[in-house]
Amino acid sequence: METALRVRGLSIRKLQPQETPPYDLLLLADPSRELVNAYIAEGECYIAEEQNDSIGVFVMVPLTNGTVEIKNIAVREDKQGHGIGRKLLQEAIEIAKSNGYKSIEIGTGNSSIDQLALYQKCGFRISDIIKDFFVQYYDEVIMENGIQCKDMILLRMEI
Ligand code: ACO
């Protein structure tokens, strides 16, 4: 078992191969269990714990050309809005840097106003839009902030 890394009061560790992924957290960020399973298999899942409780998660998947993508990031509902998501993002950026990646990407829906704010506050810039991504790949209609989630907004940061 790898030693957990303590980041500003949170303990962050990699999900071990024999462990069940924290679906309760992962599905907060992505309603498709099928897609979650597919990208967990391709990348690394990190769990943030506070007093042995899992309160956050992020998944990093390598792309080509020295880029890594944060495919999923979530904080347990009762812990949201207290700076943990920002800490997880900062930690993901540090992990990417220390693994030699040159850039980091994250994607979210056009309707995810708060997430778009957070990612830009952390230094990401919008780099691309994949039109109708959520219409094409998700069975259900996703509504947020009174807006239908249709397009994937990709954000990128050189690190
Ligand atoms: N306008 C301006 N700023 C905003 C807004 C807004 N509408 N909403 C949030 N923010 C800012 C906050 O002010 C704060 O900024 P600050 O650090 O400068 O004060 C920051 O965004 C939010 O900070 P945190 O408290 O660190 O966020 P939290 O711990 O709630 O984590 C997360 C954010 C991960 C998005 C969490 O709310 C969550 O799990 N949501 C449900 C799952 C989800 O949507 N995940 C992302 C999907 S996309 C993907 O996974 C790649």
Side-chain angles (χ1 to χ4, degrees):
M1 165 91 59
E2 258 178 64
T3 317
L5 176 73
R6 290 204 71 82
V7 182
R8 303 168 198 105
L10 280 182
S11 173
I12 298 180
R13 65 176 181 85
K14 258 188 214 177
L15 179 78
Q16 297 301 300
Q18 73 283 3
E19 270 185 285
T20 306
Y23 287 113
D24 52 337
L25 295 171
L26 292 159
L27 295 173
L28 290 175
D30 186 341
S32 168
R33 201 178 173 105
E34 199 183 335
L35 288 182
V36 166
N37 282 333
Y39 56 68
I40 283 188
E42 286 174 36
E44 303 278 13
C45 179
Y46 292 84
I47 302 177
E49 292 171 327
E50 200 179 63
Q51 290 159 359
N52 292 327
D53 270 347
S54 299
I55 60 159
V57 71
F58 58 92
V59 180
M60 300 179 74
V61 176
L63 306 177
T64 50
N65 299 330
T67 302
V68 66
E69 181 175 352
I70 302 172
K71 283 280 193 184
N72 188 307
I73 181 163
V75 172
R76 204 173 73 194
E77 276 168 313
D78 61 313
K79 295 282 181 181
Q80 290 175 9
H82 299 287
I84 295 170
R86 183 187 267 268
K87 284 179 190 167
L88 298 187
L89 264 183
Q90 287 166 342
E91 181 54 20
I93 294 164
E94 287 310 311
I95 290 171
K97 279 185 191 165
S98 63
N99 284 318
Y101 289 103
K102 300 287 175 243
S103 55
I104 184 161
E105 283 190 2
I106 192 161
T108 195
N110 58 284
S111 52
S112 298
I113 306 296
D114 298 355
Q115 291 80 347
L116 286 166
L118 171 62
Y119 304 156
Q120 291 176 85
K121 281 180 168 185
C122 286
F124 288 87
R125 288 191 66 181
I126 292 174
S127 57
D128 211 351
I129 298 173
I130 308 175
K131 290 254 184 185
D132 289 320
F133 177 89
F134 293 96
V135 178
Q136 207 176 335
Y137 292 105
Y138 289 77
D139 293 335
E140 70 273 41
V141 171
I142 305 169
M143 294 295 297
E144 253 182 322
N145 299 306
I147 304 165
Q148 186 178 348
C149 181
K150 293 182 180 172
D151 308 321
M152 167 81 85
I153 312 288
L154 281 178
L155 300 100
R156 184 180 176 90
M157 187 192 327
E158 306 309 320
I159 50 177

